[in-house]
Amino acid sequence: MTDRRSPKFKPTKAFKEFKDDCQQLLTERGQANSVAIAQAALKRYAKLSPQAKAGFFDYLATHMDPDPGDVLRLAEQYAVNRSPETLLNLTRAAEPPRQELLRRLNRTQGGAGQLVTMRADLLAHMKNDRRLSAVDADFEHLFNSWFNPGFLQMQKIDWGSSAQLLEQIIAHEAVHEIDGWSDLRRRLEPDRRCFAFFHPTLPNEPLIFVEIALLVEIPDAIAPLISRQTKIAEPNRARVAAFYSISNCQPGLRGVSLGNFLIKRVAQALKAEFPKLNSFCTLSPIPGFASWLSAAQKLASKQEARPVFSSTSTKTAALEALNELLQRENLDEPALQSLCAFYLLHSAENPGHELLVADPVARFHLNNGARLDRINPNADMSRKGLKQSHGFMVNYVYDLDLVEENHEKFVRGEVTASRTVRSMI
Amino acid sequence: MTDRRSPKFKPTKAFKEFKDDCQQLLTERGQANSVAIAQAALKRYAKLSPQAKAGFFDYLATHMDPDPGDVLRLAEQYAVNRSPETLLNLTRAAEPPRQELLRRLNRTQGGAGQLVTMRADLLAHMKNDRRLSAVDADFEHLFNSWFNPGFLQMQKIDWGSSAQLLEQIIAHEAVHEIDGWSDLRRRLEPDRRCFAFFHPTLPNEPLIFVEIALLVEIPDAIAPLISRQTKIAEPNRARVAAFYSISNCQPGLRGVSLGNFLIKRVAQALKAEFPKLNSFCTLSPIPGFASWLSAAQKLASKQEARPVFSSTSTKTAALEALNELLQRENLDEPALQSLCAFYLLHSAENPGHELLVADPVARFHLNNGARLDRINPNADMSRKGLKQSHGFMVNYVYDLDLVEENHEKFVRGEVTASRTVRSMI
Amino acid sequence: MTDRRSPKFKPTKAFKEFKDDCQQLLTERGQANSVAIAQAALKRYAKLSPQAKAGFFDYLATHMDPDPGDVLRLAEQYAVNRSPETLLNLTRAAEPPRQELLRRLNRTQGGAGQLVTMRADLLAHMKNDRRLSAVDADFEHLFNSWFNPGFLQMQKIDWGSSAQLLEQIIAHEAVHEIDGWSDLRRRLEPDRRCFAFFHPTLPNEPLIFVEIALLVEIPDAIAPLISRQTKIAEPNRARVAAFYSISNCQPGLRGVSLGNFLIKRVAQALKAEFPKLNSFCTLSPIPGFASWLSAAQKLASKQEARPVFSSTSTKTAALEALNELLQRENLDEPALQSLCAFYLLHSAENPGHELLVADPVARFHLNNGARLDRINPNADMSRKGLKQSHGFMVNYVYDLDLVEENHEKFVRGEVTASRTVRSMI
Amino acid sequence: MTDRRSPKFKPTKAFKEFKDDCQQLLTERGQANSVAIAQAALKRYAKLSPQAKAGFFDYLATHMDPDPGDVLRLAEQYAVNRSPETLLNLTRAAEPPRQELLRRLNRTQGGAGQLVTMRADLLAHMKNDRRLSAVDADFEHLFNSWFNPGFLQMQKIDWGSSAQLLEQIIAHEAVHEIDGWSDLRRRLEPDRRCFAFFHPTLPNEPLIFVEIALLVEIPDAIAPLISRQTKIAEPNRARVAAFYSISNCQPGLRGVSLGNFLIKRVAQALKAEFPKLNSFCTLSPIPGFASWLSAAQKLASKQEARPVFSSTSTKTAALEALNELLQRENLDEPALQSLCAFYLLHSAENPGHELLVADPVARFHLNNGARLDRINPNADMSRKGLKQSHGFMVNYVYDLDLVEENHEKFVRGEVTASRTVRSMI
């Protein structure tokens, strides 16, 4: 196999030293001192130039793959003689050696955090080089093992948390921006909650956090939940826990399942604190709705006879009505709501269709086993809300007894939704 | 492949429920609720009978291997077309599915601890069933990743530690028995230290601990180090940190490298606290010496012309002298010391020879990169010490600048030893 | 006033330096640096010989009294012209200057603990010198302010507490000796509880602790409560919290009310943890019974006509019967029980009578507002129990709604007791 | 003595209930349950109207004084027969009974904090009623004992502190206002420090805090110390710790010495962390300078022959020059500096003189034993700084070996100052 490394990068001294550390880590000699070598290597990595980092990822992709000949030979042996030994030999040979490298780099204290940063670098480079996807898969595989929910610690975040931590909450809130400390404070009052997952080796770095409003009813608009002016309510009167924002803090943990586990652990904790809670729902954005609709309208204007929407699970009359809506100049609220319901209900269906690039938020909650419960017009009247979803927001409901079943249906292509939502089409 | 499960075990209801949980964990449906399922499954496991546990391990061995046909096919594809996709497919297929099962069981809080217990059960069953060794290899592989030193927390253990923790120290001390709380207390005074590794998910369970005496000189006998009567010394006067005991607490973590990492992290911590320390050594038992010697003597009495000992790295004259010693009725101290030196120096050499079942303690420290420094007669005059090693003990010295090099030599079959020890042969 | 210091003590250098520190602390010059001076002074004090300490206490008694002339003059001014100024002048002059000295010694960190030790020394010397009682009153006055229950922290003590702390529990248990760590452990199982008061400046020094058994019924014997063999019960089934031991750890805190506050705070904490608890009682020794009875018998043997017992609150017939009992050679259990009831019921009455040196434990609980509920024969069959109270023990019941009223009655000379106990006479 | 209570206040029900609680606390009956009664009483107090609170303070002043007749009688007895008993009787009688009331209110957890709030209320009422000064003296006396530095815990405050705590730092900073969280953050970077005193019963309430800049040289202007733009320096290079702000958080602790103790404990802690620090100084405002100068100028314009300034410790020529300056229309910087030096140097002298209302900040530091080291022109060019001191600020230097001596001199009327400052006059 030829070296596919980009011809532009001339290995620098720093790059070579780092690569030497990595190679030594994998030798016998390095074993006795691997913690110290890993520590030195990660220090060096942090100082590399972007080019040198790219060079390193390239090296991982081109020199740390399993050897095809070895694997094939051992696979044949295993097929002929199925024994613990032949299996072990095969398993070891089929695992890319870079996995062992990552495990050894992880031996130093704080190594996990530095590897998360390394992967964020990798993801940035991967945009331009799809050969790196196998390297990335190894990172993701190991991170799913190291950042599994059994190792993560859920912590309540409130006004008694450190400024250093709260600062990160402000910085990473990705759904409804936090405008400074007083804005944050309202979100941490007794009728609001915030929980985050932490890894034991990164005690001051939240991995993901969720914000909750304790309410009397399922909410139909975001403004009252996040406004500083909203009066603080007595949390013991709440019957509904509404998850109104969930944000990842670590780009390097992409693909590691955190949100699903956090939501469920938080629901349990809240239920234990407030036994009278009877509903766990979200108030969620529909980030893909407006662009989907506009694409559908464009398509409708181009097509002549053929209808834009098709679906095996929707009645013909309803489908016709929907297709007809795409011809109108101005869509009123009921029309938009119907289209939105269609958009969300078909999230799971027919992913090959050009219009069915499903809503990521819908996919997330439906895949977690939630039910699509209500579509709320005029729910997010912020500039961003109007732009991305014409002001609509959705409630997904988590019924912990049904999440397994709902998830299974979703994987099969069926969205669990309330009768009201179904009837909107 | 036929079911090789022992015919005696009739699957009970509890067994089936547990197996169902495990199967569900691996299905899509189980994904959305995997933490809850894992928790339930581990609860069920804990209540299984030994027979049912054996049945489960058998199931892991027989039904959760990779499929030989699939692997072979994908190995061929990868050999023909080396791409990220073919590699990913191969890697996934070659990993035994039970690894994913263990990772999912680990998703629940405290899962890691329960899996360690599960493996201790497995090890007990493995004695009679070597087919389980591939299953065990999967446990060991994952545990090396989860209990890697980057995740472990080192804690000082002293008289301010909880009784619950100290009780475990008393229970698990495997080298020099602790005879009750007053005995323990002496080992925690300011001139003695004790450090343990903890996993963040098992905060009250030490995984391994080491006991250290802070001394003025390298010690030549164990009694003064552990006697309750020994006067407490001023730790700031110490120049030597002597590791006199290291004990594993978790049988389920066999094969997971902990001791090497602990010794080196402790050495760093002590050096930081007492910059005047200039030597890190052990005072170690030689558990295999007496039985090795007695086997050699037996062999010598049977053989006629052929000498018992042979070695390429020892001078002929010395070898002859050693062989001659085996003929004597009573061995005096210098004779025993010579034989002991030969025993230890050849730990690394020629492992196939029937007499070279090397000393496990020697292998441990030499493999860590320590130097065999001194052999001390009359060093452990306890019943156990006399029986296992005629009262001899050894000092291994850890020179952190040389551990890499020494380890490499040891792996090549060469023991690093002081001139004094070498000259004893 | 002449110097009453004992002529035997020749002030040593160390004594003079310490006295100088004390004097400087009270001067203006010392003010700016009082923390440092106090620290130095307390260090010096700790090293003084017993004679020098006695000399210091003597100095406190003889040179640090208020000036009688000043006080008289200011009392006259205050009587004539009652104003804030005349009052302040009087109050300051009437307070012994040694109080200010103690307050300034207390300024250094850890000063409070050292002053408690100092008072323990004082109490030892006071036995021979009643002039020191005014000095002691000043210590007690300040300690009641500094060790008031609002400042004390109640902590649960269990097997998760540090060995250092548990060791002190073993050492200070004054009622039912703890025979080593296994004995202690049984007393910390889930159906037993132990709570202690700590002062924030003495975080590792329990001031007082109480041991409780969680039971189904009010206990009538001590052995099952403290035996290592007693099966561990499910605490949630308990209906009774029985305080079976309360021990002070700091002799220097004599006269500072701790036990009363601890019992009530513990009762509240247990009620919160176990809402089904409906009775808070003790199982208490009667340390003074046997010696009281023997004194009464001796008196009876000397007296001819005049009866030993007299009481206005006991019916004549009952009194005659009791007096008659004193003539018998052998007292059976009912007879002893009657006498014991009489002994306890008259604890509060007629304190001047030679036989009514009341039982200290009875006085403690009755003064706290508890009710004398039951007298149990064969309740403490240990050597100590038989010797001090012929094996009898008592249950005092704390009904938190009635403690105020009961205490008030007790102060007036009336013991609150159950009908059963009353009927025993 | 007649009841001097203000005729306007009609005792309300709430007031009477509270007063009853207080009276009960002091009775025998209340003793057994004093913690519960105190808790109830303090709850009631918190809800009283300002009028009712005033009524209560009046009650404390008029009904809880010592009885003049009793005190006089016991003072006579003590004068005639000086014994522990006569002394104890006298001391008890001379102490105002309200002190015991406060001590008993303090028995409940958190009582101290509520009493501090009560005293803040009292101080507000005292402005109009000087009879309350004796009541206030009792509060102050007890608070000095309860909030003595031996009980206080010093904590470092930094960006890892809770938002709740940092919010209070922002709110209570009294010297150089903190303009929001980013402003605060700069003051908590590694080259700045903040320390506060806490009472163990008020863990989240700072009592007083001090802000420090770690610098290479003694600072001569405030702006660089508090500007967000100032580059963060390496603290290990610092040679000077400059205390640039000290703020009390609890008005109810007026008269309780905290600042002096805090500065010295902080100096010790910094010296331990940075052994190379060789100077502990302040950069302090001169809040009284401008108004003093203006008063002096006004006086000068009225007086004809007689000079405004007189001093025995200043040379005649210098005094004449100073008096002459008061006649000028516009004062240049050197002139202002001379006058400022005179103002500060005479802080201790001749307190009766109408112009010698000394600067409170100067009195604080000089009384703590600091030395007046340097007067800096153009040091605080903020509106406030120009208005109160024409932009001047002062460095006071704390030399821990000299504070005692300097304090003593200051009490005698002599200010310790550097030669440079002396020469300015």
Side-chain angles (χ1 to χ4, degrees), chain C residues 7-111:
Chain C
K8 283 168 234 155
F9 175 65
K10 276 214 173 173
T12 56
K13 185 161 166 274
F15 172 78
K16 279 180 201 155
E17 285 170 348
F18 170 61
K19 213 183 67 179
D20 284 353
D21 281 348
C22 291
Q23 284 167 341
Q24 199 184 351
L25 260 183
L26 290 174
T27 62
E28 255 314 327
R29 181 181 166 110
Q31 266 294 65
N33 216 12
S34 51
V35 174
I37 303 173
Q39 188 174 20
L42 288 171
K43 257 193 192 164
R44 282 197 220 278
Y45 173 81
K47 292 181 185 156
L48 290 186
S49 67
Q51 287 78 8
K53 288 179 180 178
F56 172 61
F57 299 135
D58 194 81
Y59 171 78
L60 288 182
T62 51
H63 289 77
M64 289 218 170
D65 269 0
D67 183 276
D70 283 356
V71 182
L72 185 53
R73 185 173 47 80
L74 294 164
E76 281 162 357
Q77 287 182 6
Y78 176 59
V80 171
N81 169 22
R82 202 167 155 187
S83 77
E85 289 72 31
T86 55
L87 172 55
L88 268 175
N89 290 338
L90 168 63
T91 310
R92 275 182 202 141
E95 189 189 85
R98 57 193 166 240
Q99 284 200 16
E100 185 62 19
L101 174 62
L102 296 179
R103 279 193 295 263
R104 294 195 181 181
L105 285 171
N106 191 34
R107 283 186 183 169
T108 191
Q109 286 180 285

Side-chain angles (χ1 to χ4, degrees), chain C residues 118-356:
Chain C
M118 187 186 282
R119 187 181 174 220
D121 295 342
L122 170 64
L123 287 169
H125 285 104
M126 205 170 84
K127 288 177 194 156
N128 308 315
D129 188 352
R130 61 162 276 294
R131 286 173 314 139
L132 297 180
S133 62
V135 177
D136 185 56
D138 289 323
F139 273 93
E140 189 177 323
H141 177 74
L142 290 172
F143 285 2
N144 265 302
S145 184
W146 293 340
F147 291 86
N148 82 74
F151 283 6
L152 301 183
Q153 293 157 349
M154 188 179 80
Q155 278 177 34
K156 188 181 167 195
I157 292 180
D158 57 25
W159 202 237
S161 303
S162 76
Q164 187 183 314
L165 176 51
L166 295 180
E167 190 179 48
Q168 294 187 63
I169 299 298
I170 296 178
H172 287 111
E173 160 65 70
V175 187
H176 304 290
E177 204 192 339
I178 300 177
D179 183 18
W181 292 80
S182 351
D183 212 34
L184 172 64
R185 187 168 186 172
R186 180 61 190 91
R187 300 197 191 183
L188 303 176
E189 296 288 358
D191 62 345
R192 298 288 179 272
R193 298 287 153 127
C194 180
F195 292 90
F197 263 154
F198 290 83
H199 193 264
T201 65
L202 293 164
N204 296 312
E205 302 275 347
L207 307 182
I208 184 172
F209 63 92
V210 66
E211 294 164 74
I212 301 109
L214 298 175
L215 302 167
V216 175
E217 294 192 331
I218 293 183
D220 60 5
I222 189 68
L225 271 56
I226 58 176
S227 163
R228 255 180 259 189
Q229 271 69 47
T230 303
K231 228 188 108 191
I232 301 170
E234 169 53 55
N236 287 305
R237 297 223 185 108
R239 295 296 172 269
V240 173
F243 295 72
Y244 66 89
S245 181
I246 184 160
S247 301
N248 284 290
C249 309
Q250 299 289 346
L253 289 179
R254 196 168 85 186
V256 177
S257 195
L258 297 171
N260 177 22
F261 296 124
L262 178 59
I263 287 174
K264 285 164 191 169
R265 210 183 305 168
V266 166
Q268 280 188 325
L270 289 174
K271 185 75 188 171
E273 190 180 352
F274 302 105
K276 289 185 183 164
L277 285 179
N278 53 35
S279 176
F280 295 89
C281 71
T282 75
L283 182 64
S284 302
I286 321 167
F289 176 45
S291 57
W292 170 86
L293 180 58
S294 132
Q297 287 171 321
K298 218 173 271 173
L299 208 65
S301 71
K302 281 188 207 154
Q303 290 185 307
E304 287 171 17
R306 202 157 57 87
V308 166
F309 298 136
S310 66
S311 159
T312 52
S313 65
T314 309
K315 286 185 191 154
T316 318
L319 262 183
E320 276 174 16
L322 286 165
N323 277 305
E324 193 268 337
L325 286 177
L326 291 182
Q327 310 296 340
R328 294 204 201 156
E329 288 263 303
N330 292 308
L331 291 168
D332 59 5
E333 192 184 294
L336 281 167
Q337 206 161 13
S338 294
L339 287 160
C340 187
F342 182 78
Y343 170 60
L344 294 169
L345 284 170
H346 291 78
S347 295
E349 187 189 314
N350 194 11
H353 190 286
E354 62 191 303
L355 279 181
L356 286 178

Side-chain angles (χ1 to χ4, degrees), chain C residues 144 148-150 257 260-261 264 268 367-368 400 403-404 407, chain D residues 21-42 100-109:
Chain C
N144 265 302
N148 82 74
S257 195
N260 177 22
F261 296 124
K264 285 164 191 169
Q268 280 188 325
N367 190 48
N368 289 346
L400 294 183
V403 292
E404 264 182 70
H407 164 78
Chain D
D21 281 349
C22 292
Q23 285 168 339
Q24 200 184 349
L25 260 184
L26 291 174
T27 61
E28 253 315 326
R29 180 181 167 112
Q31 267 292 65
N33 215 13
S34 51
V35 174
I37 302 173
Q39 189 175 21
L42 288 171
E100 184 62 20
L101 174 62
L102 297 179
R103 279 193 294 263
R104 293 195 182 182
L105 285 170
N106 191 33
R107 283 186 184 169
T108 192
Q109 285 181 286

